[in-house]
């Protein structure tokens, strides 16, 4: 066993999952650096280490020290201190500034950081603000390293360890001792199994009451990721039984206790017990109450309204059909209404007419959609400004104590929207949480007009808001079904409606926008996809390869999203010496890669800058489904900068890269609310539950100019015939009907 001490000269390789690191250790008294390999909980260039290990010989890399243990020491000499501070470990301090700090304070530098941080401002180039920030980072790094070493004993990966520390800080130690299952609730990436293993090491028994209750609640929370607002008790118990490895009977009694303690809510529906995570039950109930309160009648003389509509038709050179006129009339006369319609059915013309009618009355009108892409498209098609619902509600990324999802909105019941009319497009994408936030910001007297296509895929988040509202029957629903002449010239629109009706797709040889290239082998399909996106389609639709979207039904498999992204990256953004790369969880990210945000991050800051680099707008929040391009990767500061659509630029730390995925190909579910110049759809085979009509319809309707199916026509036919959808447990419709009945009884 050999012991050496020195500072980390450079880190050659690091696996963020298990901490395996290859680094070079140096010392002023050594002639050469020493290569060290082993698992390091947390290490940065410039750090001073005392290592123990054995000297081994690698046939390719030569002599190395295989590290068995190590300790961190504060560097004692000025050179080592300067090396550490200038390594990028502390944001805002580079090599030049580090040199000035060490020149000023010499060997006393670290003590100054810990005990007298305000004195750092004595150094030229350091403001009082930077001094406080730098000292805070310095101490946080030290505390974090101590935490990493502690968490290593629990077998936690480096990335998760960083997340745990950032979530709880010093409270981490108490939480791990008393309630390790809280990690699964609070931190993405810490599943129940990881928390359970920590609990086992902390001395919790398999059949402990605490473990069983935590497991039941975890299962209920996990069900929301599948879109559920509740689960039947039998399904919940079976799910928890599989997770915990315990008999269902043992779990049933704990479910009863959780219900008695109001930790979960129990309701009888369809002669079975249904269990809600508390917040979701009350969210549904509140939505129902607010929708009913908004649904007021606004008596209008129909003759006057008819004259107004005719005048608008003449001015705009349009002619509304009977259902479009009905939609306009219902929008004016009712507080809440829904306009349903597929592509080419005149939804845009209808919305424009509704807006014009309200404008003539001098009303304030707001237009919004769930995603940036959908809002942009709404603005382009209507000619009126539209924004995302999050922006409309003035989302604040600061954590709200009452909202564990980590966001709140400035617009709410205390500060409602100043509008007479609110029109929401792409309503099928709105989950129960977002609906609740929107309704809180509306006061009775404000008209709410919801526009959407119930045949699209449901929201990613929990609930089935649009379908439940329609099913409840409490408000007027107008269905636009006529496909207008101009739209009927598009094979995309015609085939979309054929799919929706369960009719076979028409493949016309003279089609200009709907193609099927039949291939029966995965490799042949991949070859065609590459050829289309690299060569054929960009000039055909007058768009860049980055604007053309490959949509896949599945993530895994030979034609899954992961495989497609790996392949397309090689052709669209190949490795070059000038592009920095970063591997994360087995995925290689490269500068200029097309990426997508895959979860809502309400705290992530973004900014918009002009061509001179001056920031003209700032905000918080990057949302699931937003796409962009990696502009830079800094190994020094361990950050990735992504430029999203509309010029928003956001910076991610390496530990946050799990929120990003390559996006040359994306899952069809992720395309909701988006529209692309061209869509490529590789189809060959897949599970019946997933490969259904709903999925195919959604994919086809995402294309603006061209749809190209590559693969099996037989699979297309099978998807059209397959109307099976995974059942989603939601009950907004029941809550509406219950409250409606209660209101009627009170009035009678």
């Amino acid at each position: 066993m050999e012991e050496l001490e020195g500072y980390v000269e450079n880190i050659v390789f690091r696996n963020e999952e298990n901490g395996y690191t290859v680094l070079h250790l140096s010392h002023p008294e050594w002639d050469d650096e020493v290569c060290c390999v082993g698992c390091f909980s947390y290490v940065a260039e410039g750090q001073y280490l005392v290592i123990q290990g054995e000297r081994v010989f690698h046939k390719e890399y030569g002599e190395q020290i295989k590290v068995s243990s190590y300790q961190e020491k504060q560097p004692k000499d000025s050179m080592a201190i300067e090396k550490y501070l200038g390594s990028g470990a502390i944001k805002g301090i580079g090599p030049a500034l580090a040199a000035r700090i060490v020149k000023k304070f010499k060997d006393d530098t670290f003590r100054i950081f810990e005990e007298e941080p305000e004195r750092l401002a004595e150094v030229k180039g350091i403001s009082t603000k930077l001094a406080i920030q730098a000292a805070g980072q310095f101490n946080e790094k030290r505390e974090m390293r101590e935490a990493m070493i502690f968490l290593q004993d629990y077998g936690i990966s480096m990335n998760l360890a960083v997340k745990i520390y950032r979530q709880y800080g010093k409270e981490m130690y108490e939480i791990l001792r008393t309630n390790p299952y809280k990690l699964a609730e609070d931190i993405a990436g810490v599943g129940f199994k990881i928390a359970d293993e920590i609990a086992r090491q902390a001395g919790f028994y398999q059949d402990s009451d605490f473990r069983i209750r935590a497991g039941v609640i975890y299962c209920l929370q996990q069900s929301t990721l599948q879109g559920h607002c509740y689960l039947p008790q039998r399904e919940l118990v079976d799910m928890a039984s599989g997770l915990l490895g315990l008999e269902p009977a043992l779990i049933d009694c704990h479910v009863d206790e959780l219900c008695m303690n109001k930790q979960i809510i129990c309701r009888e529906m369809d002669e079975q017990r249904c269990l809600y995570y508390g917040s979701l039950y009350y969210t549904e109930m509140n939505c129902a109450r607010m929708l009913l309160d908004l649904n007021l009648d606004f008596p209008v003389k129909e003759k006057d309204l008819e004259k107004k509509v005719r005048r608008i038709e003449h001015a705009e050179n349009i002619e509304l059909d009977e259902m479009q006129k009905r939609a306009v009339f219902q929008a004016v006369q009712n507080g809440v209404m829904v306009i349903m319609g597929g592509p080419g059915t005149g939804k845009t013309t209808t919305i424009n007419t509704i807006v014009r009618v309200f404008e003539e009355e001098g009303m304030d009108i707001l237009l919004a959609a769930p995603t940036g892409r959908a809002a942009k498209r709404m603005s382009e098609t209507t000619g009126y400004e539209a924004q995302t619902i999050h922006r409309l509600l003035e989302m604040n990324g600061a954590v709200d104590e009452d909202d564990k999802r980590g966001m709140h909105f400035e617009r709410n019941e205390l500060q409602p929207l100043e509008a007479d009319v609110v029109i929401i497009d792409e309503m099928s994408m709105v989950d129960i949480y977002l609906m609740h936030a929107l309704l809180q910001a509306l006061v009775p007297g404000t008209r709410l007009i919801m526009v959407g296509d119930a045949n699209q895929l449901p929201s990613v988040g929990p609930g089935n808001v649009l379908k439940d509202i329609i099913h409840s029957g409490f408000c007027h629903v107008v269905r636009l079904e006529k496909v207008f002449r101009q739209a009927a010239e598009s094979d995309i629109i015609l085939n979309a409606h054929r799919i929706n009706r369960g009719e076979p797709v028409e493949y016309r040889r003279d089609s200009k926008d709907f193609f099927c290239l039949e291939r029966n082998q995965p490799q042949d399909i991949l070859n065609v996809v590459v050829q289309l996106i690299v060569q054929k389609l960009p000039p055909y639709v007058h768009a860049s390869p980055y604007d053309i979207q490959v949509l896949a039904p599945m993530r895994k498999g030979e034609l899954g999203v992961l495989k497609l992204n790996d392949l397309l990256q090689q052709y669209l953004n190949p490795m070059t010496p000038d592009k920095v790369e970063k591997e994360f969880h087995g995925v290689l990210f490269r500068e200029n890669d097309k990426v997508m945000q895959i979860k809502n991050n309400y705290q992530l800051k973004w900014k918009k800058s002009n061509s001179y680099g001056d920031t003209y707008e700032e905000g918080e929040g990057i949302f699931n489904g937003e796409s962009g391009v990696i502009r830079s990767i800094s190994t020094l500061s361990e950050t990735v900068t992504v430029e999203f659509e509309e010029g928003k630029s956001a910076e991610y730390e390496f530990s946050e890269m799990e929120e990003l995925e390559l996006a040359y190909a994306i899952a069809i579910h992720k395309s909701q609310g988006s529209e692309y110049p061209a869509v490529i759809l590789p189809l060959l085979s897949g599970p019946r539950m997933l490969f259904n009509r709903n999925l195919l319809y959604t994919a086809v309707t995402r294309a603006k100019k061209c749809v190209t199916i590559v693969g099996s026509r037989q699979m297309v036919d099978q998807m059209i015939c397959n109307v099976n959808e995974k059942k989603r447990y939601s009950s907004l419709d029941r809550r509406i009907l219950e409250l409606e009945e209660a209101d009627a009884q009170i009035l009678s």
Side-chain angles (χ1 to χ4, degrees):
M1 187 71 69
E2 193 170 342
E3 183 173 289
L4 293 172
E5 63 179 83
Y7 61 83
V8 180
E9 181 69 32
N10 70 300
I11 296 172
V12 180
F13 171 80
R14 180 165 176 82
N15 185 319
E16 297 294 345
E17 281 299 298
N18 57 24
Y20 180 81
T21 306
V22 180
L23 57 84
H24 288 157
L25 206 68
S26 67
H27 194 278
E29 298 178 2
W30 299 347
D31 294 329
D32 206 356
E33 299 168 2
V34 176
C35 180
C36 301
V37 298
C39 290
F40 293 79
S41 57
Y42 191 90
V43 68
E45 291 181 2
Q47 217 172 312
Y48 198 83
L49 302 178
V50 179
I51 67 164
Q52 294 84 34
E54 292 182 6
R55 199 173 291 269
V56 296
F57 187 84
H58 193 282
K59 61 181 181 180
E60 187 173 350
Y61 300 111
E63 196 172 69
Q64 300 174 336
I65 299 290
K66 189 177 180 181
V67 179
S68 56
S69 63
Y70 73 97
Q71 292 178 308
E72 181 199 2
K73 278 190 176 182
Q74 286 193 355
K76 296 178 181 176
D77 62 277
S78 298
M79 184 175 114
I81 294 171
E82 184 180 329
K83 176 75 176 176
Y84 176 73
L85 293 178
S87 67
I90 299 173
K91 288 183 182 178
I93 297 181
L97 204 51
R100 290 203 293 273
I101 294 170
V102 174
K103 186 178 180 182
K104 172 77 175 175
F105 300 113
K106 300 182 173 58
D107 293 351
D108 203 31
T109 298
F110 279 175
R111 189 192 66 77
I112 295 293
F113 269 90
E114 291 177 350
E115 300 175 10
E116 300 179 81
E118 67 281 354
R119 288 192 59 193
L120 293 171
E122 297 173 13
V123 178
K124 185 180 178 182
I126 299 182
S127 63
T128 303
K129 182 180 178 181
L130 178 58
I132 300 299
Q133 287 177 346
Q137 286 184 59
F138 179 85
N139 290 317
E140 186 183 2
K141 292 274 185 184
R142 175 174 51 78
E143 292 169 1
M144 186 181 288
R145 284 193 289 273
E146 292 172 358
M148 299 300 101
I149 294 169
F150 177 83
L151 291 170
Q152 198 175 31
D153 293 337
Y154 290 96
I156 296 171
S157 72
M158 296 301 104
N159 282 323
L160 283 181
V162 170
K163 283 187 177 182
I164 292 169
Y165 179 79
R166 286 179 176 163
Q167 176 77 23
Y168 303 122
K170 293 180 180 179
E171 294 179 15
M172 172 194 81
Y173 302 99
E174 180 66 15
I175 289 168
L176 287 171
R177 186 180 66 82
T178 60
N179 183 12
Y181 295 101
K182 189 172 172 55
L183 273 65
E185 297 178 26
D186 296 341
I187 302 172
V190 181
F192 182 85
K193 290 182 179 179
I194 293 175
D196 201 32
E197 175 60 23
I198 295 170
R200 186 190 64 78
Q201 293 189 44
F204 287 80
Y205 294 108
Q206 186 182 16
D207 62 348
S208 72
D209 294 351
F210 200 90
R211 179 175 182 261
I212 295 172
R213 291 170 193 170
V216 169
I217 291 173
Y218 175 77
C219 287
L220 207 48
Q221 291 173 328
Q222 286 298 105
S223 72
T224 66
L225 301 178
Q226 306 301 317
H228 302 307
C229 291
Y230 69 89
L231 284 179
Q233 181 163 340
R234 196 73 268 140
E235 287 193 30
L236 175 60
V237 170
D238 288 345
M239 187 177 174
S241 175
L243 177 73
L244 300 169
L246 298 171
E247 290 297 316
L250 186 60
I251 296 167
D252 268 318
C253 63
H254 285 281
V255 168
D256 293 339
E257 278 190 43
L258 288 167
C259 292
M260 289 175 62
N261 297 333
K262 303 295 183 184
Q263 289 178 269
I264 58 179
I265 306 294
C266 179
R267 290 293 305 268
E268 291 283 342
M269 292 189 298
D270 299 328
E271 299 182 348
Q272 62 178 344
R273 298 182 82 197
C274 297
L275 302 170
Y276 295 78
Y277 193 59
S279 63
L280 270 168
Y281 175 78
Y282 292 112
T283 298
E284 279 196 338
M285 185 65 80
N286 291 338
C287 281
R289 180 72 274 161
M290 291 185 286
L291 281 167
L292 289 170
D293 290 345
L294 280 175
N295 196 29
L296 305 175
D297 294 328
F298 296 93
V300 178
K301 291 183 179 179
E302 291 208 2
K303 285 187 177 179
D304 294 341
L305 188 54
E306 283 176 6
K307 288 180 182 178
K308 193 174 291 185
V309 171
R310 281 199 298 270
R311 190 166 62 249
I312 293 170
E313 284 179 308
H314 180 74
E316 299 293 323
N317 194 27
I318 58 173
E319 184 178 350
L320 303 181
D321 75 349
E322 193 59 36
M323 296 307 293
Q324 288 177 304
K325 287 179 182 177
R326 185 183 295 183
V328 176
F329 277 52
Q330 297 294 353
V332 174
Q333 295 172 329
N334 297 280
V336 180
M337 76 154 305
V338 176
I339 301 174
M340 285 276 298
T345 56
K347 292 196 298 287
T348 298
T349 302
T350 306
I351 294 171
N352 287 342
T353 306
I354 291 170
V355 171
R356 286 292 303 275
V357 169
F358 286 128
E359 272 188 334
E360 289 192 9
E361 295 297 319
M363 293 185 175
D364 292 323
I365 308 154
L366 294 173
L367 278 65
T371 67
R373 277 182 178 261
K376 184 180 180 182
R377 192 171 74 250
M378 196 181 187
S379 296
E380 291 169 350
T381 55
T382 64
Y384 298 93
E385 183 186 359
Q387 52 194 320
T388 65
I389 300 174
H390 290 87
R391 190 165 185 179
L392 176 75
L393 300 177
E394 298 175 19
M395 191 206 72
N396 187 329
V399 176
D400 190 338
E401 287 298 317
D402 297 325
D403 191 340
K404 301 305 180 184
R405 292 175 299 120
M407 66 165 178
H408 73 275
F409 298 99
E410 299 296 336
R411 295 290 182 173
N412 48 42
E413 64 272 27
L414 300 176
Q415 192 179 353
L417 291 168
E418 296 162 4
D420 301 300
V421 183
V422 175
I423 303 174
I424 306 296
D425 198 10
E426 296 284 357
M427 264 302 298
S428 63
M429 297 182 64
V430 177
D431 65 24
I432 193 68
Y433 287 128
L434 190 56
M435 188 65 184
H436 186 263
L438 174 66
L439 292 171
Q440 282 185 309
L442 302 180
V443 296
T446 304
R447 289 173 174 84
L448 174 62
I449 301 166
M450 295 169 281
V451 185
D453 184 352
N455 296 307
Q456 297 281 356
L457 293 169
S459 60
V460 175
N464 216 348
V465 174
L466 181 61
K467 284 187 176 179
D468 279 356
I469 288 173
I470 294 168
H471 188 254
S472 72
F474 90 99
C475 68
H476 288 276
V477 179
V478 178
R479 290 176 170 84
L480 305 179
E481 295 176 342
K482 179 183 176 182
V483 179
F484 287 87
R485 182 181 60 80
Q486 189 174 358
E489 295 173 0
S490 166
D491 287 335
I492 295 175
I493 290 174
L494 286 177
N495 278 323
H497 285 278
R498 290 184 68 86
I499 292 168
N500 199 30
R501 293 192 300 266
E503 300 171 4
V505 165
E506 282 190 359
Y507 304 104
R508 297 195 300 128
R509 288 190 175 183
D510 61 344
S511 179
K512 296 179 180 177
D513 60 6
F514 197 99
F515 310 102
C516 182
L517 305 177
E518 192 149 18
R519 300 291 189 276
N520 297 309
Q521 296 298 323
Q523 190 56 53
D524 294 339
I525 294 173
L526 292 173
N527 293 340
V528 172
V529 168
V530 169
Q531 190 179 32
L532 285 169
I533 199 168
V534 175
Q535 299 175 359
K536 302 292 186 182
L537 285 178
Y540 187 74
V541 297
H542 306 290
S544 78
Y546 275 43
D547 293 326
I548 295 165
Q549 191 60 62
V550 179
L551 299 180
M554 300 186 300
R555 283 184 51 79
K556 297 180 180 179
E558 293 181 291
L559 298 177
V561 169
L562 300 178
K563 179 70 177 288
L564 284 161
N565 272 319
D566 187 46
L567 177 67
L568 292 171
Q569 184 190 48
Q570 297 175 35
Y571 286 92
L572 297 177
N573 188 33
M575 179 179 63
T576 59
D578 61 322
K579 293 176 188 172
V580 183
E581 299 177 346
K582 169 65 180 176
E583 186 178 352
F584 189 84
H585 284 191
V587 178
L588 186 66
F589 292 90
R590 185 176 293 141
E591 288 177 339
N592 294 339
D593 268 337
K594 180 181 178 182
V595 293
M596 174 178 278
Q597 177 80 8
I598 60 170
K599 62 179 287 188
N600 291 334
N601 186 330
Y602 304 106
Q603 285 86 39
L604 188 61
K605 291 180 170 56
W606 56 263
K607 62 182 181 181
K608 294 183 181 180
S609 305
N610 59 26
S611 56
Y612 299 102
D614 300 321
T615 300
Y616 63 87
E617 188 178 350
E618 293 180 311
E620 291 181 329
I622 301 293
F623 305 109
N624 187 0
E626 291 195 56
S627 58
V629 176
I630 295 178
R631 294 304 182 197
S632 66
I633 299 175
S634 172
T635 54
L636 190 64
S637 62
E638 297 189 344
T639 57
V640 177
T641 302
V642 180
E643 183 180 344
F644 291 93
E645 294 168 341
E646 301 175 351
K648 294 193 302 186
S649 181
E651 188 177 272
Y652 296 76
E653 295 186 9
F654 280 178
S655 60
E656 298 173 312
M657 287 182 66
E658 67 179 17
E659 297 182 11
L660 295 173
E661 279 189 354
L662 295 177
Y664 302 105
I666 63 172
I668 295 171
H669 290 79
K670 293 288 187 182
S671 70
Q672 294 176 83
S674 298
E675 194 175 63
Y676 311 98
V679 162
I680 302 171
L681 185 59
L683 287 177
L684 189 59
S685 63
R688 179 173 171 78
M689 183 57 74
L690 181 61
F691 279 57
N692 56 34
R693 183 189 299 175
N694 197 225
L695 193 77
L696 181 63
Y697 176 77
T698 300
V700 168
T701 54
R702 299 307 91 200
K704 192 174 181 179
K705 296 180 180 179
C706 179
V707 168
T708 306
I709 298 171
V710 187
S712 169
R713 292 191 181 187
Q714 185 180 355
M715 175 51 69
V716 173
D717 294 338
Q718 289 177 11
M719 291 178 75
I720 293 170
C721 294
N722 181 16
V723 293
N724 292 330
E725 293 181 46
K726 189 174 181 181
K727 182 170 175 59
R728 180 172 282 209
Y729 294 113
S730 64
S731 54
L732 178 60
D733 51 350
R734 292 174 182 263
R735 304 285 87 83
I736 291 171
L737 293 170
E738 287 172 359
L739 290 176
E740 205 172 28
E741 187 177 333
D743 291 348
Q745 288 178 354
I746 292 170
L747 291 173
S748 64

